[in-house]
Amino acid sequence: MNIYILLGIVVWLYMLSVLKRAQLSAFFFIVGSAGLFFILMAISRPYWVWFFTHAVIHGVDLLNKITGWATVMLKTGLVYITNGHNPVIMSIDYECSGIIETCAFVSLVVFFPMYERKEKVFYAIFGMFFIYLINVLRLIIVITIVHFMGGQSFFLAHSVIGRLVFYVLVIALYYNVFTYSQLARGIYRKFIDRRSSKE
């Protein structure tokens, strides 16, 4: 691990201890979640980026086996989208992995003061899985549009429609976890209630 990352972690932990002793909960949340986000991003390279990228590639490949609208090259992370005239090669890389959005969500959940520890673990795992699924959905939408509308539609599919779908669903996740949950405990409460009713 880089010496600068270790030094940053030590400074971050010290700041958190000072803010906790001073009972400045808002600053504790801000410094805690922002610091954890930068730490997670720093230590995610290269292994977690590789893992997230390949998880997305395999998810796309799994759904693509049903349609056959593209050829997914698992080792290189390339998706060869077939269509009538001009096929497109899409690269699934760092930006397509969803790791930035996942790290941001997990960092906020860890320091969100309204949840108990079990709820934080539940929402962190649920959020990671949800972001992964909607990221795969986004890429499947891109493949579908380019397959039927041709290579000229790639920018519209990837940069506009795909991102719009992805971020609308991420906002829905944030709403449920950080806003709606304050009133009804959202998904976690439904999950617990369902488990207890089965027992």
Side-chain angles (χ1 to χ4, degrees):
M1 188 180 286
N2 191 322
I3 188 69
Y4 295 112
I5 296 172
L6 285 173
L7 186 63
I9 291 172
V10 170
V11 170
W12 174 68
L13 290 172
Y14 175 73
M15 289 174 66
L16 286 178
S17 69
V18 169
L19 292 169
K20 189 162 186 116
R21 284 195 307 266
Q23 296 182 347
L24 298 170
S25 56
F27 288 105
F28 182 82
F29 171 73
I30 293 167
V31 171
S33 53
L36 183 59
F37 171 74
F38 286 114
I39 290 166
L40 290 175
M41 290 303 297
I43 64 175
S44 67
R45 292 174 182 260
Y47 304 110
W48 283 105
V49 171
W50 178 89
F51 175 77
F52 273 69
T53 303
H54 279 75
V56 169
I57 293 166
H58 283 277
V60 169
D61 185 51
L62 187 67
L63 291 173
N64 183 60
K65 283 177 180 171
I66 299 167
T67 63
W69 294 335
T71 303
V72 180
M73 294 162 238
L74 298 174
K75 289 185 179 178
T76 58
L78 297 175
V79 180
Y80 182 82
I81 307 170
T82 57
N83 54 51
H85 305 290
N86 48 350
V88 172
I89 296 177
M90 176 174 67
S91 174
I92 299 176
D93 55 8
Y94 176 77
E95 287 185 18
C96 291
S97 68
I99 196 161
I100 297 171
E101 293 82 3
T102 304
C103 288
F105 179 80
V106 169
S107 300
L108 290 169
V109 167
V110 167
F111 284 92
F112 195 61
M114 305 306 288
Y115 290 135
E116 298 169 8
R117 191 169 290 165
K118 286 181 183 178
E119 291 174 303
K120 289 180 181 184
V121 171
F122 173 84
Y123 278 119
I125 293 169
F126 176 81
M128 289 172 68
F129 189 65
F130 186 81
I131 291 170
Y132 165 75
L133 287 178
I134 62 174
N135 202 17
V136 171
L137 173 66
R138 173 179 74 91
L139 294 171
I140 292 295
I141 289 170
V142 172
I143 291 169
T144 304
I145 292 171
V146 172
H147 176 75
F148 286 105
M149 297 181 65
Q152 69 277 6
S153 65
F154 179 74
F155 177 80
L156 176 68
H158 185 269
S159 299
V160 180
I161 298 171
R163 285 188 182 173
L164 188 64
V165 168
F166 179 77
Y167 285 113
V168 164
L169 291 172
V170 166
I171 289 167
L173 172 69
Y174 273 66
Y175 172 75
N176 191 293
V177 173
F178 299 115
T179 304
Y180 173 73
S181 295
Q182 298 313 299
L183 303 173
R185 276 296 198 259
I187 300 166
Y188 179 76
R189 182 55 49 210
K190 291 174 186 171
F191 178 75
I192 294 300
D193 291 345
R194 188 170 293 156
R195 273 186 60 198
S196 60
S197 67
K198 286 181 181 178
E199 295 169 358

